[in-house]
Amino acid sequence: MATPASRHPGLSNGQAVDIQSLPIMATAGFLESVAQAVAQGMRVSAFFAQPLDQGRLRLWAILAQDSQSLLFPYCTDLEDAHYPALTPRCPQMHLFEREVCEQWGVEPRGHPWLKPVRFHAPYRQGQANAGSGSGNQVGVTDYFRVEGEEVHEVAVGPVHAGIIEPGHFRFQCHGEEVLHLEISLGYQHRGVERHLAAGPDRRSLHLAETLCGDTSIGHATAYCQALEALAGDQASARAQMLRGVALELERIANHVGDLGALAGDVGFLPVLSFCGRIRGDVLNMTGLLCGNRFGRRMVRPGGVGYDLDSAVAAELQKRLDILEKDLTVALDLLWGTSSVMARFEGTGAISGQTCKALGLVGPAARACGVERDIRWDMPAGIFQFAQIPVSTWGSGDVHARARVRWLETFRSIAFLREQLANLPAGEIRTPLGPLAPNHLAVALVEGWRGEICHVVTTDAKGNFSSYKVVDPSFHNWFGLAQALRNQQISDFPLCNKSFNLSYCGHDL
Amino acid sequence: MLDIILARMQQKHRTMKFPYGPAPQMPPRYLGRPAVMPGDCPSGCNICREVCPTGALGRQGRLGLDMGRCIFCGECAPVCPAQRLRFTQDHRLATGSRADLLVDSEVIRPASPLDAQRKRLFGRSLNLRQVSAGGCNACEADTNVLGTIGWDLGRFGIHFAASPRHADGLLVTGPVPANMRLGLLKTYEALPTPKLVIVVGACAISGGPFAGHEEVADGAGDLLPVDLYVPGCPPHPLTILDGLLRLLGRLPEPGKD
Ligand code: SF4
Ligand code: SF4
């Protein structure tokens, strides 16, 4: 059969395409093409169902070929309410197939374990929730169990001990050793994606900003990029630069917070305190841009909500100097403390092979030595003109995930310095024209946790006909479960923090 | 050990003076307490309500802004032809009742202290259990920030407890998804009485950006007896701290400070 790449020339990040120009594949060919593409090293960035008229469904797969900076949208119109599952051939599909099944009642036959993802009512009336589990009562499902005389089960959550979002974790343990961790989420499900699909309306942008509120800039940028692609308009160079500044500030704030929290989880309180305070200072830098510490109001369709004058740019430069100095002292102390390193090194390791099979993204993938970064592989906006080197570390453990954050933080600081010194002139926001009807747009952004993917299709009137959000956490939660294999259960908090995944971004 | 001491000296003492000294300065673009300016709306004008994503603006008789619904997106003020909506730099947003969140003037109606009995119980030591029920992690993060050394919530005797059994009050964030309703109610029940309920963020007050979604309960207000409302999306840490300290009677009334 034809190689997948020959079917469509491929899209670049932030590009829209007329759906009528795309071949609608027969289901068998579609499945084969996806499997082949993944076998050839492409990644599944998104997989979802779009409702057509008369209850029919179209399955979409967005495949990313990082080496060529191209995205391949494949689609098929389903004839039946089932199809042969891809997961047995393609492990990174496991959660996507469960998701489509839960939402639309389409059964991927042969899926190893078809459990609910978010425990919500089916999207279509009169349709049963497929898969194992009793209806949509959250947390009530079959869990993987290990049997044996000295085996015990530990259940944690949904409500946790700190100020943390809810989720349920089940450990199968033999003594202190974790044989298996199962993560069951859905407690934060608030219908974001379903409501986005009814847009665009005056709430859509705000849903994008709050679907994962610690990544407001990342998700709002993806939303706006998709809209701009559909409208055929571009944000000005100045606006794109300002978005990039906000995105990197968001990355720095979260990475610094995570490094502090990692120190805290091994009981090294000085660095916890230093980094906690420094993180707040970085949030205040975002506050200086737009008045809100989480970057709300900053990214807007067609550009940004606020301009930056030279006085504020100078102030930010000054704060970057202080930030770099304080952070260097704090993190040198971290790396120089042998009791910290003893806990970080070798804990929760994942191999590069497992990382690729599961389709992990972001710092979690780069910590396995896998060079994967949307800013580099599929640059959009400012990253087409200003590149940040990809930060990797090979060991795949807690130490590597910490080191990648550390490298990225300093590289982001360097990027910010350069951008703030070279503000291009121009408008900050240009009004968008109407959205093209019957088009598909894909927007990817490298958020601080990894690849953010928004896929939008429009109907004949230019309204959304489907809206798919893939938060990096969707790819990475299973990585955390893998990292816990054969670890001490007491290392869970540390491993968990080294991923620091989003519950609300997953639950939507 | 020596390197820890040296690093500690380099990082300096960081806890803010507030409330015994000046409050930290808000960034110039911060949108704080809204004010509805006196005057009349042009007849038939509906522009602000058309842009508001959460239905926070109403005009029953007179123009009003519901801080409980407002996500401070700032869309409304610039479109008003009569300039009747303004966002001040004032961080004091927390109130003691849902009704006090309705702003129809420039007057501030901050939370008042607890009654004498509860103030005696909680005034000098308050342990809170935090439950995130569908929050986007921004309200959670800026609640968490109060524990960092800059804010040092512990100096007021306020702490976050790891178990509801050890807590005097519940601090809720998020619109309360159907999937978290039971978890929230069970946590509330597990707190010993008397107990406080504090709702932080537009979500927990009204559902915020998710209001009206059938997947959520539009906040905790209809589920639990609320003692303190802290609006914002998310509220600035200073707004949360201000609310907590007012509730405990540890800040002078506005105008008397
Ligand atoms: S600032 Fe508040 S009241 Fe104004 S439009 Fe936004 S949500 Fe509505
Ligand atoms: S009120 Fe706003 S910031 Fe707070 S949890 Fe809700 S959406 Fe997030």
Side-chain angles (χ1 to χ4, degrees):
Chain A
M1 77 178 298
T3 60
S6 71
R7 290 178 172 271
H8 184 270
L11 303 173
S12 55
N13 179 12
Q15 198 188 332
V17 60
D18 186 344
I19 294 174
Q20 278 142 19
S21 74
L22 297 172
I24 298 169
M25 305 179 182
T27 301
F30 166 83
L31 297 169
E32 191 55 40
S33 299
V34 174
Q36 272 194 25
V38 172
Q40 287 167 6
M42 293 202 216
R43 296 180 301 106
V44 183
S45 280
F47 179 83
F48 61 98
Q50 175 199 346
L52 303 175
D53 52 2
Q54 290 155 357
R56 291 174 313 128
L57 290 174
R58 176 170 292 169
L59 278 186
W60 286 97
I62 309 295
L63 290 143
Q65 187 162 50
D66 296 324
S67 58
Q68 291 182 19
S69 308
L70 286 177
L71 294 156
F72 297 96
Y74 295 165
C75 67
T76 184
D77 290 351
L78 283 175
E79 303 278 332
D80 306 304
H82 56 83
Y83 67 91
L86 278 163
T87 301
R89 287 198 278 174
C90 195
Q92 59 182 291
M93 287 294 299
H94 77 109
L95 199 56
F96 283 121
E97 292 198 309
R98 280 167 56 186
E99 183 185 40
V100 168
C101 176
E102 179 174 45
Q103 292 176 341
W104 301 101
V106 176
E107 187 193 352
R109 290 206 171 145
H111 188 288
W113 207 350
L114 213 44
K115 294 153 62 87
V117 180
R118 305 187 176 98
F119 300 89
H120 57 69
Y123 281 7
R124 290 193 287 189
Q125 293 280 316
Q127 158 218 313
N129 269 96
S132 58
S134 55
N136 49 32
Q137 204 182 333
V138 66
V140 180
T141 179
D142 299 334
Y143 290 87
F144 184 82
R145 291 199 67 151
V146 179
E147 302 286 349
E149 234 171 60
E150 289 173 16
V151 172
H152 64 278
E153 185 179 74
V154 178
V156 180
V159 183
H160 302 296
I163 303 181
I164 317 170
E165 295 175 69
H168 184 65
F169 299 83
R170 282 217 194 173
F171 301 87
Q172 308 295 320
C173 300
H174 183 248
E176 287 291 294
E177 186 185 347
V178 178
L179 299 178
H180 182 77
L181 160 63
E182 188 164 343
I183 302 168
S184 184
L185 303 176
Y187 297 89
Q188 299 284 72
H189 179 61
R190 52 222 190 284
V192 174
E193 203 178 70
R194 201 167 68 81
H195 283 83
L196 274 172
D201 56 40
R202 55 190 159 176
R203 228 192 248 190
S204 311
L205 172 65
H206 308 288
L207 287 178
E209 283 188 322
T210 55
L211 67 87
C212 176
D214 54 29
T215 315
S216 287
I217 297 291
H219 277 287
T221 302
Y223 173 83
C224 292
Q225 253 171 233
L227 244 61
E228 286 152 16
L230 289 167
D233 294 322
Q234 268 212 341
S236 71
R238 187 174 179 89
Q240 308 221 12
M241 193 279 292
L242 289 170
R243 283 181 187 176
V245 167
L247 186 73
E248 295 312 307
L249 282 174
E250 185 169 89
R251 188 180 325 279
I252 296 171
N254 283 292
H255 280 0
V256 171
D258 285 350
L259 287 163
L262 282 167
D265 270 335
V266 298
F268 194 52
L269 301 184
V271 174
L272 169 68
S273 303
F274 302 160
C275 288
R277 189 272 302 173
I278 296 169
R279 171 181 168 276
D281 289 352
V282 183
L283 294 178
N284 286 339
M285 291 167 76
T286 302
L288 208 54
L289 283 183
C290 63
N292 181 290
R293 287 155 51 92
F294 294 85
R296 308 279 161 85
R297 305 193 291 273
M298 186 62 194
V299 181
R300 288 293 176 258
V304 290
Y306 294 93
D307 204 354
L308 183 70
D309 61 29
S310 53
V312 176
E315 172 65 23
L316 287 173
Q317 292 276 21
K318 202 176 89 200
R319 293 197 196 181
L320 283 173
D321 293 343
I322 300 170
L323 167 70
E324 189 173 40
K325 196 164 111 239
D326 288 358
L327 208 52
T328 303
V329 172
L331 296 178
D332 283 354
L333 183 60
L334 187 72
W335 311 129
T337 303
S338 52
S339 60
V340 169
M341 296 305 276
R343 288 290 311 282
F344 281 14
E345 283 174 345
T347 305
I350 300 180
S351 70
Q353 201 188 352
T354 303
C355 163
K356 284 186 179 159
L358 294 178
L360 302 189
V361 297
R366 296 193 281 278
C368 302
V370 177
E371 291 197 18
R372 187 173 279 181
D373 187 328
I374 294 302
R375 291 173 294 172
W376 186 270
D377 298 327
M378 310 242 181
I382 182 67
F383 301 105
Q384 299 169 94
F385 312 105
Q387 265 127 20
I388 302 182
V390 180
S391 306
T392 58
W393 199 273
S395 51
D397 51 4
V398 169
H399 178 231
R401 290 187 282 277
R403 285 285 189 175
V404 167
R405 288 182 170 89
W406 166 72
L407 285 170
E408 290 188 4
T409 299
F410 285 97
R411 286 175 174 170
S412 294
I413 292 175
F415 169 88
L416 288 175
R417 283 219 176 93
E418 199 183 306
Q419 297 313 311
L420 291 170
N422 295 292
L423 289 165
E427 290 294 317
I428 56 158
R429 190 173 178 184
T430 33
L432 289 190
L435 306 187
N438 296 318
H439 270 59
L440 167 123
V442 185
L444 301 179
V445 172
E446 186 72 20
W448 63 276
R449 286 193 185 92
E451 174 183 310
I452 294 165
C453 176
H454 287 214
V455 188
V456 192
T457 60
T458 52
D459 63 15
K461 290 191 180 124
N463 291 322
F464 298 161
S465 55
S466 66
Y467 201 107
K468 179 76 208 132
V469 176
V470 189
D471 185 81
S473 303
F474 189 84
H475 297 284
N476 282 3
W477 275 110
F478 203 74
L480 170 61
Q482 281 293 308
L484 252 284
R485 288 259 162 111
N486 308 110
Q487 298 293 302
Q488 300 271 301
I489 189 167
S490 50
D491 279 335
F492 173 68
L494 185 60
C495 288
N496 186 26
K497 198 51 65 76
S498 74
F499 281 84
N500 191 13
L501 301 175
S502 172
Y503 299 76
C504 55
H506 172 279
D507 291 346
L508 296 174
Chain B
M1 193 63 211
L2 186 65
D3 49 355
I4 299 179
I5 295 171
L6 288 174
R8 171 66 186 78
M9 286 165 66
Q10 186 274 337
Q11 301 275 335
K12 303 197 195 84
H13 176 81
R14 296 288 183 164
T15 307
M16 65 182 63
K17 295 260 185 328
F18 179 82
Y20 313 109
Q25 225 192 341
M26 292 304 199
R29 287 166 173 172
Y30 168 73
L31 300 189
R33 181 172 53 80
V36 175
M37 310 308 281
D40 292 311
C41 295
S43 87
C45 180
N46 207 25
I47 298 178
C48 63
R49 265 149 295 157
E50 275 161 15
V51 299
C52 178
T54 59
L57 293 158
R59 217 172 92 181
Q60 265 135 10
R62 55 200 292 194
L63 180 65
L65 188 157
D66 180 0
M67 281 202 291
R69 286 171 182 257
C70 179
I71 57 169
F72 295 79
C73 72
E75 298 285 344
C76 53
V79 301
C80 175
Q83 276 123 43
R84 295 206 57 208
L85 293 162
R86 215 165 65 78
F87 287 87
T88 69
Q89 282 265 308
D90 190 350
H91 65 268
R92 298 169 299 179
L93 305 178
T95 69
S97 79
R98 183 71 182 84
D100 282 349
L101 291 172
L102 281 171
V103 177
D104 58 5
S105 68
E106 293 175 82
V107 177
I108 171 169
R109 283 179 287 185
S112 33
L114 289 169
D115 53 82
Q117 190 213 357
R118 291 197 294 173
K119 195 172 153 189
R120 188 170 53 79
L121 280 172
F122 303 135
R124 295 202 288 179
S125 164
L126 178 67
N127 276 299
L128 296 173
R129 183 77 187 93
Q130 204 278 324
V131 174
S132 165
C136 75
N137 204 28
C139 278
E140 290 78 359
D142 262 354
T143 302
N144 226 343
V145 150
L146 292 176
T148 60
I149 48 172
W151 300 87
D152 191 14
L153 196 60
R155 68 199 157 118
F156 307 107
I158 307 174
H159 295 276
F160 286 94
S163 161
R165 301 279 187 213
H166 303 157
D168 310 305
L170 195 59
L171 188 151
V172 186
T173 51
V176 192
N179 286 352
M180 262 310 281
R181 193 186 173 106
L182 185 63
L184 176 67
L185 294 179
K186 278 194 166 179
T187 305
Y188 176 74
E189 281 161 24
L191 261 80
T193 35
K195 48 191 158 191
L196 302 177
V197 176
I198 297 162
V199 287
V200 171
C203 276
I205 300 173
S206 70
F210 317 108
H213 292 194
E214 64 194 47
E215 291 87 349
V216 305
D218 285 353
D222 292 338
L223 302 173
L224 302 172
V226 178
D227 297 283
L228 182 70
Y229 296 84
V230 187
C233 184
H236 193 279
L238 186 58
T239 302
I240 306 174
L241 180 61
D242 171 79
L244 291 172
L245 295 180
R246 282 189 197 285
L247 191 70
L248 300 181
R250 300 177 67 150
L251 286 180
E253 276 176 50
K256 299 191 184 156
D257 43 1

